[in-house]
Amino acid sequence: MDKNKFSQSGLTLVEIVIAAMLLAVVVTVLSAVVVQQAKLKQRMSEENFARQLLEQELKEYSVRVSRDDTAVHNDPPGQFDGKVFEINPVISTEKSFPVTLPNGDTITYSLYRVTVTVSWGAPAGSVTATTLVSNELNQAASGD
């Protein structure tokens, strides 16, 4: 048998090393992509929970202000996947204005800015929303 015939049928050591290095690079890149996607999915889940909590708190404080309860209450923090989500509401008066009704009565309304921030850590994140809410402060008789 011809000796050259067998020596040319296999891969050389250099070709095997190059193939192994290429495979290692591809596996490393794919692993990094999978890990990054998992982190992104976790971050999106946290942000979605924070936005739901934010919407709930913004509605609650809007109702409180419309009922003339402008005090900031200490709401318990939210929990999601072992993380604590702190709630920070701020209520400020924007403007008060009187409105005279057709029967002569005057009603004074105040416009309040309700801002709620939900924040969490590791890695730190926060979402904030603001709305304006009006409420009836007092009603005065027109002079009867």
Side-chain angles (χ1 to χ4, degrees):
M1 291 205 159
D2 189 9
K3 195 174 186 182
N4 285 335
K5 190 176 189 182
F6 289 114
S7 65
Q8 293 179 359
S9 64
L11 297 174
T12 66
L13 182 59
V14 173
E15 292 171 332
I16 292 173
V17 169
I18 290 173
M21 288 182 1
L22 286 174
L23 182 62
V25 168
V26 169
V27 168
T28 302
V29 168
L30 288 177
S31 298
V33 167
V34 168
V35 168
Q36 192 65 23
Q37 282 183 332
K39 287 180 182 178
L40 182 61
K41 182 180 178 187
Q42 177 67 25
R43 181 73 175 178
M44 296 291 287
S45 295
E46 291 170 359
E47 191 169 324
N48 284 339
F49 176 78
R51 289 186 187 281
Q52 289 172 356
L53 190 58
L54 176 71
E55 184 178 340
Q56 171 187 335
E57 290 297 313
L58 195 60
K59 284 179 184 177
E60 182 178 329
Y61 275 99
S62 295
V63 168
R64 286 179 184 174
V65 168
S66 69
R67 293 182 180 159
D68 206 19
D69 179 9
T70 57
V72 173
H73 301 275
N74 292 329
D75 291 333
Q79 295 255 342
F80 176 74
D81 200 25
K83 291 190 179 182
V84 176
F85 289 73
E86 296 294 330
I87 302 163
N88 181 23
V90 176
I91 300 172
S92 59
T93 305
E94 286 295 308
K95 184 177 180 181
S96 294
F97 51 95
V99 175
T100 303
L101 300 176
N103 65 3
D105 291 346
T106 301
I107 300 174
T108 303
Y109 286 93
S110 279
L111 191 60
Y112 291 93
R113 177 182 303 269
V114 179
T115 303
V116 177
T117 301
V118 176
S119 57
W120 67 98
S126 69
V127 291
T128 301
T130 299
T131 189
L132 295 173
V133 180
S134 173
N135 75 338
E136 180 183 327
L137 286 179
N138 58 46
Q139 183 172 354
S142 61
D144 289 314

